[in-house]
Amino acid sequence: MKKGSLISNKKKRFYITTPIYYVNSQPHLGHSYTTIAADVLARYHRLQKDEVFFLTGTDEHGAKIEKAAQKANKTPQQLCNENSKLFKKAWQNLNISYDNFIRTTNSNHIKSVRKVLQILYNKKLIYKGTYKGLYCLGCEQYKTKSDLINGKCPDHQIKPEIIKEENYFFKLSQFENLLRKKIMSNEFEIKPEERKREVLGFFKKGLKDISISRQKIKWGIPLPFDKKHTTFVWVDAFLNYLTGLEWNGNLKNLPKFWSPDLQLMSKDILRVHASIWPALLLALEIPLPKKLFIHGYFTIDGQKMSKSLGNVIRPEELVEKFGVDATRYLLLSACSFGKDGDISWEKLFEKYNTDLASGLGNLVARIITMAVKTKNQEPRIKIKDQNLEIKKVIQNSWQNYKKFLASCELDKALREIWGLISFCDRYIEKKRPWEKSKNRLSVINDLLIILTNITQMLQPFLPETSEKIFKQLGARLNSQEWCFKVRKDKILFPRI
Ligand code: MSP
């Protein structure tokens, strides 16, 4: 902090994570949805000049991967190498700006997981016992009878297997009360509210100690204190959020970005993230993440999209048809962030044509064409001379936009931008700037200013498109005056 100043110059830190995805399957729209959302928030915070770390990656151990490798006649490591590459490629195609891509087969991760397990064992928070119960391979999660519908896991439509084994257990139950308090007080925030209620309801049944090792699964990290066992894949996976920041398992030296400001995921993995994950941190005396935000499922015909159900849409199919930015837009605007949404090709095409081709694309073309046609090739607008009505509309939109991004209501932030787009369309119809009148230039200036603001708001969502619009606008802010060097370019979103 500067001497005598109350305003800190220290940059705010923003650490955001996605789940690490299983490499038994290839990336699909569900994975893309979470990752694009995280990318938008990371880009938004970077634009706010925050110091951002955005982590994603792949979850590479466990029974599910072992089985998939066997089926594909590959070694598990081969399968992991191949499929984690596909995730990296998908994120490159979708213009995902992650800061690190963690793989749980990386050697620093493995070493750190073993260190952590040894610490927990030394603290007597891990003990030997016998596990008997149900296990769904699809979820890689323990199940009780009440979790099943007609004896099957509702997400994967498969019967869980019955497991009976001598295992090591983690004393999860010991942390139930403390965790409940932290969730209730929002010190460990779970959003949306209905998801917090769901977690508290789940806590009402009581948290039981969980088995954290397996003897029959060979593809996993061996326990440091008993090599006959491998580590339960979730314990291994959770620690990625620390090792992804290059943490080496030293409790006295936590990474500077710790703890996560926001962890995005869907409801399938909420319970484990609201119980086992924070309990491990409490056990290690490491600060908890600040917020989990749980978004809904994309369904096709009302069913979760998943490899086991065979109804997967690949992100590259969408990128091929619509382009990168349109894919980002179509996914994030498909449903309210936090609620389930059903998608279909028909709806996607319709939205593309309405919102992007006729909406944004058409507006940009109209404004630039009008601005180019004026003799005044380089419009200049002093901020102090700006039309007050327009200024108010823009300010109001920015306020809402920022509020929505702060509360992860991404679809609403987009709607705010599209509200400005329709405002411009109405303004054009009302003012008819193509007719020769003395106000013509000022109307075009108003439109250029609004379009500049629309483009700024679009930046985190549609990074390439906003760059293209900025080029067409040639907008510069020179000491309290906007200057434009407009030039026409290709249509942004051709109708399909
Ligand atoms: N590997 C675990 C996560 C470990 S994190 C420490 C896992 N992997 S997963 O590949 O199954 O990914 C689950 C996540 O992918 C969901 O929580 C969600 O973020 C995303 N989605 C997968 N399918 C989805 C839909 N159909 N709809 C929306 N998002 C979904 O669980």
Side-chain angles (χ1 to χ4, degrees), residues 3 24 44 64 83 297 330 339 366 448 466:
K3 238 186 175 176
N24 66 314
Y44 171 67
K64 193 154 141 154
N83 283 358
Y297 278 151
L330 292 173
K339 297 253 161 39
R366 268 176 111 183
L448 286 171
S466 50

Side-chain angles (χ1 to χ4, degrees), residues 61 94 106 120 133 137 195 197 212 251 264 269 299 348 363 398 464 494:
H61 289 125
L94 286 167
N106 114 8
L120 295 174
L137 194 69
R195 294 290 162 215
R197 282 196 296 275
I212 52 110
L251 290 178
L264 291 186
I269 56 176
T299 54
L348 293 173
L363 180 75
W398 270 111
E464 282 181 357

Side-chain angles (χ1 to χ4, degrees), residues 56 210 339:
T56 189
I210 55 144
K339 297 253 161 39

